[in-house]
Amino acid sequence: ISEIKGVIPALLTPFTAEEELDEKGLRALISHLIGEGVHGLYLVGSTGEGFLMSQDERKKAVEIAMDEVKGRIPVIVHVGAISTRLSKELTVHAYESGADAVSSVPPFYYKFSEEQIIGYYRDLAEASPLPMIIYNIPLAGIMGYGTLVKLAKIPGVKGIKYTSTTHFEITQLKSDIGADFMVYSGADEMALSGLLAGSDGIIGSTYNAIPDTFLAIYDAFVKGDIERANNVMKQGVEVIMQMLKYGSLMSLLKAINRWAGVPAGYARKPFSNFTEAEEASIRKDFVALKKR
Ligand code: HMN
């Protein structure tokens, strides 16, 4: 798992305007992002609208992606579901499809106890030989530091996707669990902070649309040029803040790709897509932002 690091888009899942899984779009997006130089992919997570897909569709998306990637970069598959049984099935499928790691949000919606959450991750870690990356994200309910440490000690749990802004915990995890426990920072607007706190990589939604910005930040960071990294980060924050204004991030990230000739499709309901007129006006906002 130590080779899974750097800038890792939480890949969008392209759907057609009729909401069907769009194989062509998925392949085009992957090949575009690999061409841009991203270091890995994180499939069917929140950004990938995994929770809006059937079990079979999630498997299909993974199979298409693995076939398109062809081992060129590492792939993490998000297998989270509320039911251990369903998540286990996706874990085994990810393993058989050749994924490099799996990852899962904790079971959510019901207020599961800490013991049940630990049991969930233990079951998934045992379901395949793949390294498991636990996932702390406000959307599923942030877990306390004590719980994270307990989870990190489960055999097979090799890392965490840390999508919270309390980055001192990244530093703490690295010293409490060990330097080889992989940490991926998940708040794009805090990417450089996450790296400075000790993260091995950054996984996020906006890297689908502006991978170059974050590749530049990562590159400068690795070379120790923090001033440059920070200057690019400032531009990145500005763009992300603009992106968050429209209320439908996945639709927007897909639209930005479409404007650049990458057929990333549309989002699935209940997410909304923009009308043509809305897209034209949003596009102008981004052109104006680029010129500043
Ligand atoms: C995933 O699970 O697909 C994503 O990696 C989630 C990712 O961490 C995003 N976080 C949330 O959606 C809460 C971020 O990329 C986020 O969209 C970005 O920082 C903008 O706020």
Side-chain angles (χ1 to χ4, degrees), residues 10 45-47 135 137 139 161 163 186-189 203-205 244 249:
S46 345
T47 304
Y135 190 172
I137 182 166
L139 294 172
K161 171 163 161 25
T163 305
D188 308 10
E189 46 284 76
I203 301 178
S205 59
L244 295 175
L249 185 60

Side-chain angles (χ1 to χ4, degrees), residues 5-111:
K5 57 184 184 191
V7 181
I8 305 174
L11 194 71
L12 296 160
T13 304
F15 297 105
T16 65
E18 295 73 38
E19 297 198 35
E20 296 300 327
L21 181 63
D22 181 354
E23 172 165 357
K24 257 200 193 152
L26 182 56
R27 288 185 182 275
L29 178 61
I30 291 171
S31 100
H32 163 71
L33 290 171
I34 294 181
E36 290 287 308
V38 303
H39 304 119
L41 291 174
Y42 187 94
L43 307 181
V44 284
S46 345
T47 304
E49 297 172 72
F51 294 110
L52 284 68
M53 295 163 74
S54 73
Q55 208 56 5
D56 281 349
E57 286 176 320
R58 286 172 71 164
K59 291 182 188 169
K60 181 89 189 153
V62 169
E63 286 163 20
I64 294 168
M66 293 312 300
D67 182 64
E68 188 63 34
V69 172
K70 288 211 168 47
R72 287 178 284 173
I73 51 174
V75 174
I76 306 166
V77 176
H78 176 258
V79 297
I82 310 181
S83 143
T84 301
R85 195 182 167 90
L86 293 178
S87 305
K88 267 170 79 173
E89 189 184 312
L90 294 173
T91 302
V92 172
H93 177 267
Y95 174 62
E96 286 169 352
S97 306
D100 299 275
V102 285
S103 177
S104 176
V105 292
F108 57 97
Y109 186 70
Y110 302 104
K111 287 223 170 339

Side-chain angles (χ1 to χ4, degrees), residues 28-261:
L29 178 61
I30 291 171
S31 100
H32 163 71
L33 290 171
I34 294 181
E36 290 287 308
V38 303
H39 304 119
L41 291 174
Y42 187 94
L43 307 181
V44 284
S46 345
T47 304
E49 297 172 72
F51 294 110
L52 284 68
M53 295 163 74
S54 73
Q55 208 56 5
D56 281 349
E57 286 176 320
R58 286 172 71 164
K59 291 182 188 169
K60 181 89 189 153
V62 169
E63 286 163 20
I64 294 168
M66 293 312 300
D67 182 64
E68 188 63 34
V69 172
K70 288 211 168 47
R72 287 178 284 173
I73 51 174
V75 174
I76 306 166
V77 176
H78 176 258
V79 297
I82 310 181
S83 143
T84 301
R85 195 182 167 90
L86 293 178
S87 305
K88 267 170 79 173
E89 189 184 312
L90 294 173
T91 302
V92 172
H93 177 267
Y95 174 62
E96 286 169 352
S97 306
D100 299 275
V102 285
S103 177
S104 176
V105 292
F108 57 97
Y109 186 70
Y110 302 104
K111 287 223 170 339
F112 293 104
S113 67
E114 183 187 60
E115 203 185 327
Q116 289 164 339
I117 292 172
I118 292 172
Y120 171 85
Y121 280 110
R122 188 170 286 128
D123 286 339
L124 294 196
E126 281 169 4
S128 91
L130 290 180
M132 159 59 74
I133 298 166
I134 56 181
Y135 190 172
N136 211 19
I137 182 166
L139 294 172
I142 285 288
M143 296 178 279
Y145 188 74
T147 307
L148 298 184
V149 169
K150 286 181 195 165
L151 293 174
K153 290 182 175 159
I154 298 173
V157 170
K158 302 286 186 202
I160 182 169
K161 171 163 161 25
Y162 190 90
T163 305
S164 184
T165 49
T166 34
H167 282 176
F168 64 94
E169 289 190 353
I170 294 178
T171 314
Q172 267 184 307
L173 279 167
K174 279 283 184 185
S175 61
D176 288 347
I177 309 299
D180 57 347
F181 184 72
M182 301 298 280
V183 181
Y184 305 96
S185 178
D188 308 10
E189 46 284 76
M190 298 283 287
L192 180 57
S193 160
L195 291 169
L196 288 165
S199 302
D200 302 282
I202 50 177
I203 301 178
S205 59
T206 63
Y207 316 150
N208 284 279
I210 45 168
D212 47 341
T213 302
F214 289 88
L215 286 163
I217 292 166
Y218 184 73
D219 181 64
F221 170 78
V222 168
K223 291 186 176 135
D225 190 348
I226 305 304
E227 193 183 336
R228 184 175 133 68
N230 202 29
N231 282 333
V232 187
M233 188 67 220
K234 280 182 197 155
Q235 297 163 20
V237 168
E238 216 177 326
V239 177
I240 295 173
M241 289 308 123
Q242 184 70 31
M243 286 174 168
L244 295 175
K245 281 186 185 158
Y246 306 99
S248 196
L249 185 60
M250 273 69 96
S251 310
L252 177 74
L253 296 172
K254 288 174 177 183
I256 293 176
N257 266 288
R258 281 192 273 102
W259 302 336

